[in-house]
Amino acid sequence: MSDSKFAYFEGKIVPFGDAKISIAAHGLNYGTAAFAGIRGYWNDDLKKLFLFRPKDHYKRFLSAAKILAMELPHTPDTLTALTIELLQKENFGTDVYVRPLCYKADPGIGVRLHDLRDEVSIFAIPFGHYGKNEDSAHVTISSWRRIDDNVIPARGKISGAYANSALIKTDAIRAGFDEALVLDQNGHVSEGTAMNVFIVRDGELITPPVYENILEGITRKTIIELAREELGIKVTERSVDRTEAMLSDELFLTGTAAQVETVTRIDYRIVGTGAMGPITAKLKHLFNEVVHGRVPKYSHWNIEV
Ligand code: PMP
């Protein structure tokens, strides 16, 4: 993290090393915090950085804060402005990943959400690719289950819930896989560890619906819109069984960090032809063009720093 020189912390931008919380902080002890993850793409021709859909990320961030009974004096616009100010000071000149966090800041013992001070922090780091094997990932089906809306709401990026994602990811990696698909309590395919999932069957794009304990991904939303509007592909939001995933023609994962990650094997079974399929390839290309601000129709998603 030594690449970050500054952070937004307790109401102002400070040197990164000064942004420190107590070991007694509520959010650290109880996971009573929520975060976001936003990418900025460096345009080398224009020598400018563009954030991808920051206001949508901050809208979801504030929804998670609301679930955690936080009262924050922020809007998606004020948080985007703060992020821009921070990135201007950092002046990385490369692709970046921005990590906003809202957390219960008071120290002390006592699990609850009320009567605690809420704070927001933001830092950024230079960032490249996330998945090691993003064009031919081998995934397993995790033996862990996805958190449920009535356990810890999955539609917010609530920090405590990421212990679930961490269990899934580490067991998958230690077993030799790149990533894992995780089933919800009903046994339907929900997501990856920090990505939404899409399958292609007979030319149709299918993804689990928002009421099946998924994170309502910004990349997911982007891919659905691009598939419908630009490629004229039918997109259906419905439950996906594990064997349907295994038997799909194409399968890919989407997320801010992962972008579009092609899965070519599930538990030693080949998905489709075993290589990136044509629909995935088209969407991946289009997504890449859009996030880099090369498609004027979608340039309202690229916010200049
Ligand atoms: N699911 C989970 C659990 C995640 O953490 C993420 C990453 N934010 C996603 C899906 C993908 O969401 P997005 O496209 O908004 O990054």
Side-chain angles (χ1 to χ4, degrees):
M1 218 52 78
S2 56
D3 288 330
S4 310
K5 292 190 289 297
F6 300 98
Y8 175 77
F9 179 68
E10 298 190 342
K12 51 185 190 298
I13 294 177
V14 300
F16 187 80
D18 292 352
K20 290 192 179 129
I21 60 161
S22 163
I23 58 162
H26 200 275
L28 179 64
N29 283 265
Y30 297 112
T32 46
F35 63 98
I38 307 169
R39 259 188 193 266
Y41 292 89
W42 178 248
N43 183 316
D44 210 35
D45 298 331
L46 302 175
K47 302 283 178 228
K48 279 184 181 158
L49 184 65
F50 291 89
L51 289 166
F52 187 64
R53 303 189 75 166
K55 292 181 192 175
D56 295 293
H57 280 280
Y58 278 126
K59 195 170 164 211
R60 186 178 67 195
F61 179 73
L62 291 172
S63 300
K66 185 173 181 177
I67 292 170
L68 293 175
M70 290 185 183
E71 281 168 27
L72 302 176
H74 290 291
T75 64
D77 284 331
T78 62
L79 289 165
T80 300
L82 281 171
T83 306
I84 289 173
E85 194 186 332
L86 177 72
L87 288 168
Q88 283 173 346
K89 276 183 84 94
E90 289 284 22
N91 198 18
F92 286 126
T94 181
D95 290 352
V96 301
Y97 186 85
V98 181
R99 168 49 51 80
L101 178 77
C102 55
Y103 57 99
K104 299 279 170 188
D106 280 329
I109 306 298
V111 68
R112 65 187 187 284
L113 293 174
H114 59 280
D115 295 340
L116 290 163
R117 183 168 53 95
D118 303 315
E119 289 288 352
V120 171
S121 62
I122 310 173
F123 69 88
I125 51 167
F127 201 70
H129 287 273
Y130 180 74
K132 270 206 228 85
N133 218 356
E134 69 171 44
D135 287 342
S136 59
H138 186 186
V139 306
T140 184
I141 308 272
S142 184
S143 59
W144 299 98
R145 290 288 168 114
R146 175 84 176 139
I147 46 162
D148 187 88
D149 194 49
N150 297 301
V151 178
I152 302 178
R155 61 167 47 74
K157 286 174 73 71
I158 295 176
S159 298
Y162 278 76
N164 173 254
S165 301
L167 288 166
I168 295 161
K169 182 82 176 199
T170 288
D171 285 359
I173 297 293
R174 287 189 171 163
F177 298 94
D178 298 307
E179 186 40 67
L181 296 179
V182 53
L183 308 179
D184 68 7
Q185 299 299 324
N186 296 318
H188 296 137
V189 175
S190 171
E191 308 197 323
T193 50
M195 307 104 176
N196 294 110
V197 58
F198 286 85
I199 64 167
V200 176
R201 291 194 81 188
D202 300 324
E204 180 184 355
L205 197 57
I206 301 160
T207 192
V210 295
Y211 50 83
E212 281 200 337
N213 299 304
I214 65 162
L215 182 81
E216 297 177 8
I218 312 292
T219 318
R220 173 185 182 276
K221 212 182 195 181
T222 304
I223 289 290
I224 290 175
E225 188 164 339
L226 294 178
R228 283 187 178 140
E229 297 296 319
E230 303 306 312
L231 303 182
I233 293 172
K234 184 176 175 203
V235 185
T236 308
E237 296 177 61
R238 64 155 175 83
S239 302
V240 173
D241 289 332
R242 76 194 282 164
T243 49
E244 220 188 347
M246 285 174 180
L247 299 176
S248 60
D249 302 323
E250 302 178 37
L251 192 149
F252 62 90
L253 302 166
T254 64
T256 297
Q259 305 182 96
V260 177
E261 183 171 334
T262 310
V263 172
T264 52
R265 277 181 295 167
I266 302 179
D267 283 336
Y268 303 97
R269 291 171 182 82
I270 303 284
V271 174
T273 62
M276 188 190 301
I279 291 181
T280 309
K282 277 189 203 147
L283 284 168
K284 189 179 166 90
H285 174 74
L286 191 52
F287 179 79
N288 198 41
E289 293 292 291
V290 165
V291 294
H292 284 94
R294 293 194 282 262
V295 186
K297 183 174 168 189
Y298 297 103
S299 61
H300 57 283
W301 286 339
N302 312 113
I303 306 295
E304 186 179 328
V305 168

